[in-house]
Amino acid sequence: MFYCTTTQQYIQEGTAFEINGVQYPQNWLNLSTPEQKAELGLEEVIATNQPQNQTYYWVSETLSGATLTYTNTPKDLTSVKSNAISQVNSTAYSILLPTDWMVVKAVETSTTVAPSWNSWRQSIRTTATATVSSIEGAVDVDAVATVMGSIAWPKDPDQVLAEQAQAVEEVAQTPITE
């Protein structure tokens, strides 16, 4: 975006505009040189700071000439925590859902679920519980954002085996140098 100091208007790239009675086509800003833009009094709008994640902050913009400033106001901590906890629980449910059939089959047939799958399913529940506890203990919105950004869901046994097989294959394909 550009700011015209002579007409005090904002011009978006990719749009046609008019300055002092002269019509400019929509691609003019992309094709013009910095010198040509300066001759018209155009300055590129520069942000003085970055907007925060809108999941946790209300973000508003203030334009003053060629300066763009973001105001980041934290959302209500109780609501942010509630939303984060819902997201964690929903994610854990979604991760476990495809393997629920194993548990149903085990109950219906009086058999057991493979220990690796039982351990993995428990690790998902443990990760969710620990994450919810961390969210509940967060003292501000930034702490909730940090917790949510650091969740590491455990890989299921099939993923672990596939990665191990891939690693073995990569080692087997590595040329031996002496």
Side-chain angles (χ1 to χ4, degrees):
M1 179 174 9
F2 287 84
Y3 176 71
C4 181
T5 57
T6 57
T7 61
Q8 298 181 343
Q9 67 180 348
Y10 293 96
I11 304 166
Q12 290 284 349
E13 291 183 64
T15 60
F17 60 96
E18 182 181 326
I19 296 178
N20 298 328
V22 178
Q23 192 72 20
Y24 295 88
Q26 64 186 22
N27 62 348
W28 191 88
L29 289 172
N30 292 333
L31 299 175
S32 61
T33 65
E35 294 78 20
Q36 290 170 319
K37 291 173 186 155
E39 286 175 21
L40 287 179
L42 296 176
E43 295 178 13
E44 188 169 4
V45 174
I46 305 295
T48 60
N49 62 341
Q50 295 296 316
Q52 295 291 332
N53 185 327
Q54 293 187 11
T55 301
Y56 309 107
Y57 291 89
W58 298 109
V59 179
S60 60
E61 299 177 352
T62 305
L63 276 170
S64 177
T67 303
L68 171 62
T69 304
Y70 293 101
T71 302
N72 301 298
T73 306
K75 291 183 178 180
D76 175 63
L77 181 60
T78 303
S79 296
V80 168
K81 284 182 175 184
S82 176
N83 290 338
I85 289 168
S86 291
Q87 183 180 348
V88 167
N89 289 334
S90 177
T91 300
Y93 173 83
S94 296
I95 292 171
L96 290 173
L97 183 63
T99 60
D100 283 350
W101 68 269
M102 293 176 182
V103 177
V104 171
K105 178 184 174 192
V107 169
E108 288 178 350
T109 62
S110 298
T111 58
T112 60
V113 175
S116 60
W117 284 99
N118 269 336
S119 296
W120 171 76
R121 288 176 58 84
Q122 182 57 46
S123 69
I124 295 297
R125 290 188 290 274
T126 301
T127 299
T129 301
T131 302
V132 166
S133 293
S134 295
I135 291 167
E136 289 171 340
V139 295
D140 59 22
V141 169
D142 286 335
V144 175
T146 299
V147 169
M148 293 301 289
S150 64
I151 301 171
W153 295 103
K155 296 175 183 175
D156 71 46
D158 285 348
Q159 289 173 306
V160 171
L161 287 174
E163 288 177 4
Q164 289 172 346
Q166 178 68 29
V168 168
E169 185 176 321
E170 288 173 5
V171 169
Q173 292 178 355
T174 304
I176 300 174
T177 57
E178 293 181 29

